[in-house]
Each structure stands twice: as structure tokens, then as C-alpha cells.
Amino acid sequence: MQFHKYFFTPRLIKQYDGSKLSYEPGALEKYGDQLLTALNLMWSFSYYTSPILVSILYRRGYFVAESVGTFAKVTTGIGLLVAVSLCMRGLGRSMNVAYVRFAETLENAKRSSARNGEAKKALRQYDFDFSQWPVDYVTSRRTIAKPGNIVWVSSPPRHHDPIPCQIAAYIAVHTFGIRMIYPGSVRLLQSYMEPMIVEGRTKLVKKFSGERNKLKTTDGNEIDTIFVDYRHRKNNNANSATLVICSEGNASFYEIGIMSTPLELKYSVLGWNHPGFAGSSGRPYPDQDQNAIDAVLQFAIGELGFKPENIILYGWSIGGYSTLYGASLFPEVKGVILDATFDDVLQLALPRMPESISNIVKIAIREYVNLNNRDLITQYKGPVLFIRRTEDEIICSEENNLATNRGNFLLINMLQHRFPYIFKPEQLPYAEELLSKPIELMLVDTDLTDHLMDYVGLNARDGILRYPLDIGNEADFSNDSRRAWVKFLIKKHLSDFKSTHCTPLPKEFFQRPWELPSELDYYIVSHDKTRRWPR
């Protein structure tokens, strides 16, 4: 029997065949896989601790010519162990009828190009090593996104920084730095969380009929996604025609992340993993993450058939960066929901790092991981809902200090851009004072919605709402009026959730963002039957 062809076939995790969910490998495959997994974990551990290991070996005198023989024996022994493990695994798989059937199904799917063909449907009955999953969608060179919408956020070059600091920043980011910012990309953590990840994925597939797809980005990465479609189900509702695209946090995966909240409300939902997370390839550097969310949006529009105006972008924590970048590419989306996110990752990094290396931290982030949501949010003109965790221990610069929640400054930055004559510099301390307390304590004396509609209805050009608005620019507009508007606008865009950073969001907090144009449409039509407000 030619069992050698099963040496490098993917590990089969589960099969969804009727009520049978688990796949039971034979003894040879099981022990061979365990040996290879152990060796892989040892290699990962050695990689992350290599500076310490090299230092220990050097002190003990192993970096001399006499030690070459010892190193040769060790590497030969490890090589033989790998070869034996591969043989055991290959032989065990070739003797397992269920695995042979899976291998044939995988080969048929690789020969098929149809995403929803019979071969792919058969393959979706299995859960296996995603690196071997055939590509379902190849991203175009932004043929869907309008070229004028593409925004690249970067900081000016810092050539004035000392060269040693620049070198140290480069090394730090490309070794441990990116893994500290995105711990979900660490293989050791993924191995520890694998049982929970597999269980969560099984629930999405079995309970919600989730469909897993692999997207290829413009930079060659392969992104792991799952799609739950409620549009044509009997138990759907008005939400089912809207697609929610979920962007996870820095140590979260779609399998155990934020998808559960919109699914409870029967939205159609598309989840994806950052580059380097679980089944996604690559590393979560900003450019790779940008290409990933671009691919996800193109797939949703070009392949799944959702119009941008029927898509809500939902980002939690560091996923707010992916969400805002996607909104800058496709500004026609229905809305953006930002849960427990920040304005600038540098403001979170500096308080958590020693002051002595603050300059290196600044160079590293500004040059290589410039997650600056302040810049991105001004590129999107649509409705935004901010969800703030009042006991957030991650997004606050100081623990138990709501005034230092970086989401406050992101909200103010957006409102200052959209309403510059309301949020004048002299009003910013007042806005910060209001946001230092829970939103429930903020009493709005007057509902200014009608006043805002009257103003926009009279001043919008060609019946189209454009930001920034010049409301408040009148000479007789008082300081008290501005303060009333500051309160009103903050309360319209912000919702408080009394919880810590990682608590799942209850469904009652997931609401469609306040959208002024939709209310204007109703107002103008109801008051002037001859006019229509274009969307």
C-alpha cells in the first residue's frame, strides 16, 4: 500500500456526518501526530526563548569546534524522530477508511473551482488543517472599491531619530513586538486554545449552518472566514438582509469572539481571523491587516451579493482599526459599531512600557504598527456607534479611571471633525469632563434632533448631507448653546456597558448607529410632500 502519499496530507480534526462529529484516528496516526505536535511546540518554545538559550549555551562553552559532533548527534536524532513520526502517521492514515474518504474528497475539491459546487459542499463536512483548504475567492486589485476611497494611513518618516534606536525598534517589532500587540498570532497560545477554537467552530457550523471559506488577499495571504446566512431562512427577520462583518480583538478568533451577539439578533454575519490567527496565514502587520479586511469586504460584495449599504462593520478592541480602515475603503456601508476601541495604540503602549525605552516604543509604533484610528475615523462620513466599557482595564491608560478611556478621545475627535463649530477648542475640556463619568449621569435637557434637521434641511447642498457641518458658526450662537449641543451629540453616539474589556456584549447593546440622513428623510417628506431626500 502506498502510504507515503499520506505523510503530508492535512490533519483531520472532525467530520460532520449526520450526528457523528468526532474523527477517531488510529493508534499509529495518533501517536505519530502527537510526536510531531510535541516537536513543533518545542521548536516554537525554543524560538521565543532563543536569546536565553543562546546565552546559556554560550556560557557553558558549546560554541566551540569540539561541540560540532554533539550538535550533529542531536539534530540527527531529531531528524530520525521526525521521519519515524511521519511514517507512523502516514501508515495509520492509509489504514483508516474515514481518512481515505476524506483525502479523496479533498482532492476532488481542489480540482473544482466552484465555491458552492458539490465537491466543496462535500468538503465542508470535514474540519481539518486549514492550510490545505482550497482557495474559494481570490481578491481582485480593488476593482470593487473606488480608487478615490483608498486611504493609506502613515506617519511622516522619523529620520531624525538616532540610528541605534531605529535598529532596536525594527528588531523589537519584528521579533516580540508584533506578538505583544497581537498575542493571538502566537502559536503557543493557539495550541493552548485549540480545543475551545474547534468547539466554537463546530457550533457555528452545526447550529448556525456556517460556511467556511478561504480568501486570498492581494499580498498572497490566505484568510480564514466563516459566513452565516440568514437571508432565506424561515425564522429570519428584518435583520437578516443586513450583513455584519466582525473584526476581532488582538487575542480573539471568530470561533470564540464577537459573532455571537449579532447572531442572537439573526443578522447575517461574516467572521474572519487576522493574518497569523488560527487558519489565516501571514502576520498581523497593518498592511497585511488592511489587505485582509479589503478582501473580506470584496468577498461580501462581489461573491455573497450584499450591497455596501446593507453592511454593518463591527469591530471590538484592536479590531476597530480593521473596521475603520474597511469603512474608509467602502464609505457607503450602512454603519460602523466600535466596541471598546481606542484612538491611537501608542497612547496605550507608552504607559505600559518602561519610560527608559519610550523613544524606541514611539519609533516602533509610528514606523511599523501605526494603528491610528484618529486619522481613519475622519475618512468615514456615515453613522457610528461607540460602545464604551465603563470598567475597561485595557483601553484605559489608568486603571479604574474612566476619564482615561481612549475611546473618549476617539469620539471627541470624530465629533470635532463633523461639527467643528460646536466642538471648538474651548469646548473640549467640557466634553472630556462629561466623558469622565458614565453616560447615564449625563442629563440632556433638550432634544435637539428637530433643530438639527431644520438646520441641515435648509443648508445642505443639493439635499445631500456632507460633513463637516458649519452649524454653530452663527455670530449669535452662545457658549451655553454649544454646551447643550456637545451633550446632545455625545449621548447620540455613545452607549455605556458596565463591564470589563472581555465580557461578551449583550444583544441589547448591539443597535443600529444613529443615522441622521434616515431621520431627515422622514422629516422632510412628512413636512414637504414635494421633496425627496436622496439616500
Side-chain angles (χ1 to χ4, degrees):
M1 182 179 293
Q2 295 182 345
F3 66 89
H4 62 274
K5 67 180 182 180
Y6 294 102
F7 281 7
F8 302 106
T9 47
R11 180 170 69 99
L12 179 57
I13 301 170
K14 285 192 175 186
Q15 59 183 58
Y16 309 117
D17 185 10
S19 60
K20 186 178 180 181
L21 290 176
S22 60
Y23 164 71
E24 294 295 338
L28 285 174
E29 180 187 357
K30 180 179 179 181
Y31 294 132
D33 247 342
Q34 286 178 349
L35 282 171
L36 289 169
T37 300
L39 289 170
N40 186 50
L41 288 175
M42 289 173 60
W43 170 255
S44 296
F45 180 78
S46 300
Y47 175 82
Y48 293 122
T49 60
S50 57
I52 300 174
L53 292 176
V54 169
S55 176
I56 293 173
L57 292 174
Y58 178 76
R59 290 178 181 179
R60 295 190 178 183
Y62 281 97
F63 291 105
V64 293
E66 290 79 4
S67 301
V68 173
T70 303
F71 281 116
K73 289 178 182 178
V74 172
T75 53
T76 301
I78 294 175
L80 287 173
L81 189 57
V82 170
V84 170
S85 302
L86 288 172
C87 289
M88 290 173 60
R89 187 175 71 175
L91 181 59
R93 288 173 175 176
S94 67
M95 297 169 61
N96 190 316
V97 176
Y99 190 91
V100 171
R101 188 185 306 119
F102 154 70
E104 293 173 351
T105 304
L106 178 59
E107 286 302 314
N108 291 334
K110 286 182 176 179
R111 290 191 292 265
S112 173
S113 59
R115 184 178 68 87
N116 284 321
E118 292 301 320
K120 286 287 178 69
K121 288 180 180 178
L123 185 64
R124 289 194 174 95
Q125 296 303 310
Y126 298 94
D127 189 345
F128 57 96
D129 181 6
F130 199 66
S131 64
Q132 300 293 317
W133 188 285
V135 173
D136 296 291
Y137 182 80
V138 178
T139 309
S140 64
R141 292 285 177 178
R142 293 192 171 91
T143 55
I144 297 177
K146 297 180 178 68
N149 295 338
I150 299 172
V151 178
W152 295 97
V153 179
S154 60
S155 59
R158 299 174 57 93
H159 299 307
H160 60 280
D161 293 310
I163 292 178
C165 289
Q166 294 184 38
I167 294 173
Y170 178 87
I171 294 174
V173 166
H174 291 85
T175 52
F176 61 87
I178 193 66
R179 293 170 176 85
M180 288 181 65
I181 296 173
Y182 286 93
S185 64
V186 177
R187 292 300 174 188
L188 287 173
L189 177 64
Q190 293 181 26
S191 298
Y192 172 75
M193 297 185 66
E194 185 181 26
M196 292 175 280
I197 291 173
V198 171
E199 183 180 352
R201 189 162 59 238
T202 300
K203 180 180 178 181
L204 290 172
V205 171
K206 294 298 293 182
K207 181 178 179 179
F208 296 101
S209 301
E211 181 185 276
R212 206 174 180 192
N213 293 283
K214 176 184 282 189
L215 317 183
K216 191 167 185 177
T217 65
T218 55
D219 56 0
N221 282 336
E222 296 174 342
I223 303 301
D224 183 5
T225 72
I226 197 161
F227 172 51
V228 176
D229 192 354
Y230 264 110
R231 286 175 293 184
H232 307 297
R233 300 189 189 183
K234 293 181 180 179
N235 61 340
N236 66 359
N237 57 24
N239 294 336
S240 61
T242 299
L243 176 69
V244 177
I245 296 180
C246 299
S247 298
E248 300 289 344
N250 67 350
S252 184
F253 309 85
Y254 72 65
E255 292 90 341
I256 51 176
I258 61 177
M259 287 182 64
S260 59
T261 302
L263 283 175
E264 281 190 70
L265 298 169
K266 292 185 171 55
Y267 283 96
S268 296
V269 183
L270 178 59
W272 64 285
N273 283 326
H274 296 285
F277 282 52
S280 296
S281 66
R283 283 285 180 266
Y285 294 104
D287 59 337
Q288 296 186 40
D289 205 64
Q290 291 166 1
N291 288 327
I293 187 62
D294 184 16
V296 170
L297 275 158
Q298 290 200 36
F299 173 69
I301 298 168
E303 187 73 12
L304 300 181
F306 286 91
K307 295 180 180 179
E309 55 266 29
N310 290 328
I311 294 176
I312 291 176
L313 298 178
Y314 173 31
W316 173 60
S317 191
I318 210 167
Y321 176 80
S322 313
T323 291
L324 287 173
Y325 183 80
S328 71
L329 289 179
F330 295 86
E332 309 93 336
V333 295
K334 190 171 192 174
V336 163
I337 298 177
L338 299 173
D339 181 9
T341 194
F342 53 85
D343 60 335
D344 184 356
V345 73
L346 179 63
Q347 304 306 321
L348 293 177
L350 286 175
R352 292 166 170 81
M353 301 299 289
E355 188 175 351
S356 58
I357 62 170
S358 60
N359 195 41
I360 295 175
V361 173
K362 290 176 182 177
I363 298 170
I365 288 181
R366 285 291 180 246
E367 289 287 343
Y368 306 109
V369 201
N370 189 32
L371 307 182
N372 195 334
N373 292 330
R374 289 172 58 90
D375 290 344
L376 281 175
I377 202 165
T378 60
Q379 308 297 328
Y380 176 63
K381 311 301 183 183
V384 182
L385 170 65
F386 290 79
I387 299 172
R388 184 178 62 171
R389 311 296 184 100
T390 58
E391 300 172 3
D392 201 318
E393 73 283 13
I394 302 297
I395 301 301
C396 291
S397 303
E398 299 176 11
E399 192 173 353
N400 298 322
N401 187 350
L402 189 59
T404 66
N405 188 298
R406 300 310 307 184
N408 296 346
F409 303 99
L410 183 63
L411 171 59
I412 291 174
N413 182 71
M414 184 193 77
L415 293 176
Q416 189 178 20
H417 172 75
R418 296 186 175 192
F419 305 93
Y421 297 103
I422 297 294
F423 287 81
K424 287 188 169 184
E426 56 268 28
Q427 299 299 333
L428 299 188
Y430 177 64
E432 292 176 7
E433 179 187 348
L434 291 174
L435 289 169
S436 67
K437 303 178 180 64
I439 196 73
E440 63 186 17
L441 301 180
M442 189 188 303
L443 300 177
V444 177
D445 302 324
T446 308
D447 185 354
L448 299 172
T449 304
D450 287 343
H451 295 284
L452 183 59
M453 289 179 174
D454 282 335
Y455 182 90
V456 176
L458 293 171
N459 293 276
R461 291 168 294 168
D462 304 321
I464 299 175
L465 177 64
R466 293 183 176 92
Y467 290 117
L469 296 176
D470 59 355
I471 183 171
N473 194 26
E474 299 87 348
D476 59 346
F477 210 90
S478 69
N479 188 55
D480 289 340
S481 296
R482 284 193 178 88
R483 288 194 164 209
W485 278 97
V486 167
K487 269 189 180 182
F488 170 74
L489 291 170
I490 287 177
K491 194 132 187 176
K492 278 292 187 180
H493 290 89
L494 179 65
S495 178
D496 269 349
F497 174 32
K498 189 177 181 180
S499 78
T500 55
H501 188 69
C502 295
T503 307
L505 186 71
K507 63 181 181 181
E508 57 266 24
F509 285 89
F510 191 92
Q511 300 174 358
R512 179 177 171 179
W514 178 63
E515 184 180 12
L516 184 58
S518 63
E519 298 186 26
L520 277 167
D521 187 16
Y522 169 79
Y523 179 84
I524 291 174
V525 172
S526 62
H527 287 72
D528 185 354
K529 300 297 183 181
T530 65
R531 294 186 62 186
R532 300 292 299 177
W533 190 269
R535 297 300 307 278

